[in-house]
């Protein structure tokens, strides 16, 4: 079933209800400024603490909301290097959970991990014509291997040592096709060496001019898979297989529904013959490319002269793929699931899946709830649930809730003396809805696990409803242009018949700011007999246009 | 108990016996060239395959032996960038197993993972006087952010675009103290923000002139921990705690016995007030620094103006540590455990812990052993043992054994029709010794696990015996010099009374090529009343001198 063929009426994602009085402990829920947990901020010199900043509502300024959620959840911070990011522990822990799952999936697909050098000889870049076109204009160039004191400047000032200029400049890898294909040339001799399937977890640098945390940064973290095959079809199958691996991770691990499609020629990876993509829809209706897998044909094999001896004794160029997923997925998570209160994390990648908040007024109560909570937490930990016990004594429950909500913890369990007394916890989903009591009985772990699964399903369903309800099929270019021009609620994915044409694609982009996101795999049967929405000529594909990050 | 206080007679590590006829299958064990598994090598163009190269014996040329073991086990290969390494799947898998264990230990110590930028402003380096001294002379300098076609050169030739010169040069991190302390300055305001303990898994670049795979490369992988504390003693304790974490990993995970000690001032990390080290001894008696932990005092806090408000309201500079362990540990593993046949891996970091080699002569036998082996392998996999089943039909058992021995697989299980018939496997340790039959009965998994544990213990014990037997206490500088001058069996650790003195240390190095490895923690009680072996003045420390990598 295509994501576009059903039109279920849209239940809007349930917003998290804010309350002026906590329904549990009856404490007044304080305003943002009052809720500050860290009071020693020196605003003149130091950045505001995560806890003391309010979050701009989405409807007011979506871009600012995104930045505010990141700050409030303490995920990352700008580095003193243009366009670079410091990924803070809470953000990095999300990446680790995504990475570990993706790593297993990649290994299960038959690829093995390896590591190739960060620095690539400048001349390698130019071996593949499109590749150099794509990457030379945005790469960091290493020209020297030593700094020395600058004799013409104040003491302590450094300059590159002219005696340490490199014979050949090096670039910091923007991607590793060139160095990997150089090595493949040394490793591949016979059909028996194929397929060769490697994956690398690495940092890469692309000198982007306009950056945004996680979504577009000069340096980012990713995995890049590179495979070599004896025949074209096998390579092409591998490229398609890996985009499905990404789709599976996006949907079943990150609760991000995606459209699987092929890129138009002008949006392909530099050096690819076919680029497959998964496109996710953010809450503002914009698209975000969430992973790509490329069929590289024989382009890199020819550039690096990688041939194998076939069983019949002839020499053949090998066929290639490459595929990658990056830290931008953290941005996709934020923009898909979070709300005006702050971050909302799907349980699979939540560094803390359940927070147990202890509520007590005196030492006797504290003792009671602490010992009860410890037992409950140990049981959950035992089955692999990631738990945090919040037993801070000098903080109101409301302030604690607020903090964990902003950090995106999917499930909160409140434990007061009455709960401890009757052997239960009081549960609240980050997604909102009625709170309820869960007995700490034999089924406690199973129940907790089930609620987490339920939350994942609910998040995926919410996002899927949005994707469906905001996917439309304008019947004319005018209609498309009008929707794209309006912004706000009218943004989304627009599925139209299209005649593949670089120039027309560029014109649409210039006229509407929307780009051709992909030719969705599940829609191509619809193209028969249709005419291109732009040129009026017979359509070659069904295409999705959208504004995109 | 100090590693130096007992003097058990040395049982030499058991060499792995080579056989001209396989004792199991009676097949003649072929010579190296005959054993080649890949026959399609084109020697004129391509490097020799791992399988077709012989290994230089240790006694002939230890350095060449090291390189040969790496090639034969397919761990890594030189990259086309000076001093850089491609870590191949078998080598990288060892790193993953070490990394995952170390990562858990670091998290258990209270540090959290984060990620800081690769590129550091050039001016940051010079903020700490010793740090710039230590790293400016060997760092990769990024000066441009774009390449363009070179108008004066043949088409396809690139050059840095003069219009894309950076305002401030960036260096590829040689270590991250500077950028991390810049950020710490933004994050630390109050004593309540302390301790702050972060760890980063990253690549770093130090432009080394003389490189050696894993042991010294221009780029390497590591973790670097960075902590900030409110008082000196707590920071100092943390530095000591982390060196014990490294010791524990080295001994109990990698089977590498080490000496824990402090570095002399001249061997300290650039910017540290105290450097703790673990020093391992390689098979040739040379030392290898296997991990360091630094007490940085307030040096970086002062360089980056990081102060906290104490409970009494005063402002104080914070106290710091940093600590790291790198991919050079793979080199340490090789040089400690391997033999003239090839790699020997301790079970904890062996990507394949047990290989099941199937032996059959016809289809009927093949069916029998395959189905039996599958059952046995599944049971071992079930309990988390890393298994490979070698069922290649067109390869003699002897050649298979040879291949897995070179790859360092700790335990081999041979399964022929007779074994399958009686429900057992025939086991051979990579360390050598008599082969024996293990029944595939209820205790099969437990037995297999036990054998792996035994192998670890045996490897640790062998290495410990070597460390002890090759640690000596020369009574005069002449005696020390003579031992160091002889090479071969006379190399080792030399424990001597020493008066801490940079200049004398340098003189000893010039005269003997040995360096002061450390002041071993467990030996310092012995210094009382002794005189320095070099200066004749009252000794301040017991010191270990040794040749080192």
């Amino acid at each position: 079933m295509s994501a576009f063929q059903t039109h279920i009426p849209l239940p809007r994602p349930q917003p998290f209800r804010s309350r002026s009085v906590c329904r549990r402990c009856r404490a007044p829920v304080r305003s943002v400024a009052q809720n500050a947990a860290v009071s020693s901020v020196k605003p003149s010199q130091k950045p505001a603490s995560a806890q003391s900043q309010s979050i701009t509502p989405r409807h007011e300024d979506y871009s600012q909301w995104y930045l505010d959620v990141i700050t409030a959840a303490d995920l990352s911070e700008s580095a003193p290097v243009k366009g670079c990011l410091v990924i803070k522990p809470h953000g990095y822990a999300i990446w680790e959970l995504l990475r570990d799952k993706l790593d297993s999936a990649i290994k299960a697909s038959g690829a093995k991990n390896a590591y190739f050098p960060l620095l690539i000889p400048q001349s390698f870049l130019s071996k593949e014509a499109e590749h150099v076109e794509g990457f030379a204009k945005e790469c960091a160039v290493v020209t020297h291997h030593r700094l020395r004191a600058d004799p013409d400047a104040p003491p302590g000032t450094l300059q590159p040592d002219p005696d340490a200029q490199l014979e050949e400049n090096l670039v910091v890898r923007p991607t590793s096709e060139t160095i990997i294909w150089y090595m493949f040339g040394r490793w591949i001799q016979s059909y028996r060496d194929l397929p060769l399937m490697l994956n690398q977890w690495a940092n890469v640098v692309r000198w982007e001019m306009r950056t945004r945390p996680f979504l577009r940064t000069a340096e980012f973290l990713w995995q890049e898979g590179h495979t070599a095959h004896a025949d074209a079809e096998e390579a092409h199958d591998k490229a398609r297989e890996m985009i499905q691996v990404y789709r599976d991770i996006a949907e079943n691990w990150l609760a991000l529904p995606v459209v699987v499609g092929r890129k138009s020629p002008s949006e392909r990876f530099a050096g690819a013959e076919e680029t497959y993509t998964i496109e996710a829809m953010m809450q503002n209706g914009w698209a975000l490319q969430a992973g790509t897998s490329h069929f590289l044909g024989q382009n890199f094999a020819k550039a690096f002269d990688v041939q194998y001896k076939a069983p019949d004794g002839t020499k053949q160029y090998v066929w290639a793929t490459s595929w990658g997923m990056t830290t931008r997925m953290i941005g996709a998570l934020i923009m898909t699931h979070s709300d005006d209160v702050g971050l909302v994390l799907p349980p699979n990648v939540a560094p803390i899946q359940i927070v147990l908040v202890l509520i007590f007024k005196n030492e006797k109560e504290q003792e009671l709830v602490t010992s009860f909570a410890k037992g409950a937490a140990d049981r959950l930990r035992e089955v692999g649930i990631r738990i945090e016990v919040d037993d801070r004594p000098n903080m109101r429950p409301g302030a604690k809730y607020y903090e964990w909500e902003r950090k995106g913890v999917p499930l909160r369990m409140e434990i007061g003396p009455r709960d401890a007394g009757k052997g239960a916890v009081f549960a609240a989903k980050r997604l909102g809805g009625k709170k309820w009591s869960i007995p700490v009985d034999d089924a406690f772990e199973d129940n907790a696990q089930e609620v987490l699964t339920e939350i994942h399903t609910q998040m995926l369903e919410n996002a899927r409803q949005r994707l469906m309800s905001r996917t439309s099929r304008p019947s004319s270019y005018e209609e498309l242009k009008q929707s794209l021009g309006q912004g706000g609620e009218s943004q989304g994915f627009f599925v139209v018949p299209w005649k593949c044409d670089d120039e027309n694609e560029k014109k649409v982009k210039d006229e509407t700011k929307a780009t051709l996101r992909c030719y969705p795999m599940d829609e191509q049967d619809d193209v028969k007999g249709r005419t291109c929405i732009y040129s009026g000529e017979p359509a070659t594909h069904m295409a999705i246009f959208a504004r995109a990050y």
Side-chain angles (χ1 to χ4, degrees), chain A:
Chain A
M1 187 186 75
S2 155
F4 304 105
Q5 281 159 10
T6 49
H7 292 277
I8 304 166
L10 174 77
R12 287 273 157 208
Q14 295 176 284
F16 190 83
R17 284 190 203 85
S18 63
R19 305 150 306 228
S20 57
V21 174
C22 169
R23 298 193 308 189
R24 176 83 191 116
C25 66
R26 313 306 301 164
V29 172
R30 308 217 228 155
S31 76
V32 168
Q34 286 174 310
N35 259 319
V38 176
S39 58
S40 58
V41 183
K42 293 164 282 181
S44 59
Q45 300 169 37
K46 305 280 182 172
S49 128
Q51 291 305 313
S52 64
Q53 277 197 348
S54 68
I55 294 173
T56 306
R58 281 164 290 184
H59 71 268
E60 230 171 67
D61 183 343
Y62 190 77
S63 287
Q64 190 56 47
W65 165 79
Y66 175 70
L67 299 175
D68 290 349
V69 170
I70 288 174
T71 305
D74 212 16
L75 298 179
S76 75
E77 208 166 303
S78 294
V81 183
K82 198 180 160 310
C84 289
L85 206 61
V86 173
I87 307 182
K88 299 178 82 174
H90 197 50
Y92 196 80
I94 297 172
W95 175 242
E96 286 181 313
L97 290 162
L98 164 56
R99 183 196 65 188
D100 290 351
K101 180 68 176 182
L102 182 53
D103 190 62
S104 302
I106 288 170
K107 284 174 177 158
S109 83
K112 291 185 172 181
N113 285 345
Y115 188 78
F116 294 84
L118 171 74
L119 301 173
I120 296 177
Q122 170 182 292
S123 62
F124 277 35
L125 264 200
S126 37
K127 296 232 175 194
E128 211 285 328
E130 286 185 21
H131 199 72
V132 66
E133 194 65 31
F135 291 108
K137 63 182 185 294
E138 54 179 33
C139 62
V141 188
V142 176
T143 55
H144 294 74
H145 64 78
R146 185 162 63 229
L147 289 170
R148 65 164 197 190
D150 184 343
D152 305 325
T157 312
L158 297 171
Q159 66 172 23
D161 185 340
D163 294 337
Q165 188 159 1
L166 297 176
E167 274 179 45
E168 180 179 0
N169 294 327
L170 301 169
V171 301
V172 179
R173 63 183 161 220
T175 178
S176 302
E177 274 78 7
T178 57
I179 188 117
I180 288 180
W181 277 89
Y182 174 89
M183 297 308 295
F184 276 11
R186 299 166 59 95
W187 298 338
I188 297 171
Q189 287 103 33
S190 151
Y191 69 94
R192 281 172 296 216
D193 300 326
L194 298 173
L196 179 57
M197 302 194 281
L198 296 183
N199 177 60
Q200 165 170 275
W201 289 95
N203 53 344
V204 289
V205 171
R206 298 177 186 175
W207 209 271
E208 302 275 0
M209 280 304 156
R210 292 164 66 184
T211 57
R212 197 189 294 260
F214 296 116
L215 296 181
R216 198 172 291 277
T217 48
E219 180 189 10
F220 58 87
L221 305 182
W222 77 343
Q223 60 65 220
E224 47 178 323
H226 299 270
T227 70
H229 305 264
D231 71 83
E233 203 40 43
E234 185 185 300
H236 217 133
D237 284 348
K238 173 55 73 174
R240 279 187 287 255
E241 175 194 336
M242 296 316 294
I243 203 69
Q244 293 298 340
V245 167
Y246 290 155
R247 183 197 53 71
D248 182 53
I249 294 275
E251 297 190 349
N252 299 321
W253 202 247
L254 307 176
L256 292 181
V258 292
V259 175
V260 181
R262 289 187 298 146
K263 287 288 186 189
S264 65
S266 69
E267 294 276 342
R268 277 180 200 143
F269 175 75
E273 300 209 338
E274 191 79 89
T275 287
Y276 296 93
T277 179
I278 52 173
E279 301 281 326
M281 185 193 282
M282 305 298 98
Q283 288 180 62
N284 63 347
W286 286 32
L288 188 132
Q289 177 180 305
T292 49
S293 179
H294 317 291
F295 170 63
L296 302 172
Q298 295 180 316
N299 293 340
F300 286 92
K302 285 177 177 162
F304 288 90
D305 190 25
V306 186
Q307 299 184 60
Y308 71 95
K309 204 171 179 180
D312 65 8
T314 60
K315 287 179 93 183
Q316 314 268 355
Y317 285 109
V318 303
W319 299 84
T321 79
S322 68
W323 22 276
M325 191 176 254
T326 80
T327 32
R328 94 182 310 220
M329 294 310 285
I330 298 173
L333 278 174
I334 298 166
M335 282 209 174
T336 302
H337 300 305
S338 298
D339 60 23
D340 289 348
V341 175
L343 189 65
V344 181
L345 285 173
N348 290 325
V349 290
I352 302 166
Q353 295 175 304
I354 303 179
V355 61
L356 279 67
V357 177
L358 311 197
I359 302 165
F360 48 84
K361 289 202 210 73
N362 52 47
E363 263 187 46
K364 199 181 143 206
E365 285 185 6
Q366 180 176 11
E367 231 167 77
L368 175 69
V369 298
T370 302
S371 120
F372 177 71
K374 195 188 166 310
D378 284 349
R379 286 181 57 183
L380 297 175
R381 246 184 232 114
E382 190 70 26
V383 297
I385 296 176
R386 294 183 291 276
I387 293 293
E388 177 89 21
V389 177
D390 186 348
D391 55 2
R392 288 175 287 183
N394 298 319
M395 201 171 166
R396 280 172 181 277
K400 290 183 182 180
Y401 301 167
Y402 181 75
E403 183 177 326
W404 298 115
E405 282 163 7
R406 286 156 78 92
K407 290 209 153 201
V409 177
L411 185 61
R412 181 175 77 228
M413 293 180 173
E414 306 165 7
I415 304 178
R418 231 171 15 146
D419 306 294
K422 69 177 184 185
V425 300
F426 205 63
K429 287 188 194 173
R430 175 63 180 85
L431 294 177
K434 208 168 146 40
K435 300 206 267 184
W436 78 106
S437 182
I438 304 179
V440 183
D441 58 12
D442 285 354
F444 180 56
E445 297 92 330
D446 287 350
N447 282 341
Q449 195 63 69
E450 208 172 286
V451 175
L452 292 176
T453 305
E454 224 174 81
I455 291 172
H456 169 85
T457 307
Q458 194 177 343
M459 290 178 74
L460 177 60
E461 196 49 36
N462 287 348
R464 192 169 269 154
Q465 293 296 342
R466 180 170 52 238
L467 176 61
M468 287 192 290
S469 73
R470 295 185 76 159
T471 296
S472 60
R473 296 152 196 284
S475 55
S476 69
Y477 181 57
E478 273 317 303
E479 197 185 321
L480 171 66
K481 226 161 95 173
Q482 212 170 20
S483 299
L484 283 163
Q486 284 168 10
E489 287 292 305
S490 75
Q491 292 295 323
F493 285 6
F494 300 94
V495 189
V496 296
W498 180 254
K499 174 164 180 280
C500 188
D501 184 308
D502 285 2
E503 264 179 54
N504 287 346
E505 196 177 320
K506 194 176 171 314
K507 283 184 200 155
V508 172
K509 186 177 173 180
D510 291 345
E511 289 163 21
T512 67
K513 293 189 186 163
T515 47
L516 202 169
R517 302 315 305 156
C518 70
Y519 300 141
M521 307 289 251
D522 286 345
E523 299 272 337
Q524 298 310 314
D525 288 349
D526 288 1
V527 79
K528 280 173 209 136
R530 312 277 298 264
T531 52
C532 173
I533 197 172
Y534 192 80
S535 66
E537 298 180 74
T540 55
H541 298 86
M542 296 302 292
I544 292 178
F545 281 89
R547 295 291 300 272
Y549 287 100

